[in-house]
Amino acid sequence: MPNSRDVNPMSHRSPDDTYRPAARAHPSHSEGTLTGVIEQQTAKIPSAVFLVGAYAAMIASLVLELRGHQRQSRFVGMWAPTLLIAGVYNKLVKTFGTA
């Protein structure tokens, strides 16, 4: 008998079945109209923009550091994680849509 961890709980479903996300726990948890509009507009931005922007910030930070501009280097260096997180959020909105 196979171990219960080795059994796929979705094995009874056909590959053609459509994924349906679970309903929200409570209707008050839905986003407002402004959030929906912002997410629809930002979803139009290609994901590569955020990735290229983060790499550009890292390179600019390195150049500034090598030139001795430490304060500016740290400031520009903090843009990279912000851009990467914005890119992840953008990808989530594109994948799961607005609610």
Side-chain angles (χ1 to χ4, degrees), residues 17-40:
D17 283 347
T18 310
Y19 171 76
R20 289 178 185 79
R24 294 189 183 278
H26 195 273
S28 66
H29 295 169
S30 64
E31 298 291 342
T33 55
L34 177 62
T35 304
V37 170
I38 291 170
E39 288 176 348
Q40 287 174 356

Side-chain angles (χ1 to χ4, degrees), residues 20-64:
R20 289 178 185 79
R24 294 189 183 278
H26 195 273
S28 66
H29 295 169
S30 64
E31 298 291 342
T33 55
L34 177 62
T35 304
V37 170
I38 291 170
E39 288 176 348
Q40 287 174 356
Q41 295 303 313
T42 56
K44 296 176 184 176
I45 301 171
S47 299
V49 169
F50 296 101
L51 189 59
V52 170
Y55 280 128
M58 287 186 262
I59 292 168
S61 176
L62 177 64
V63 169
L64 287 167

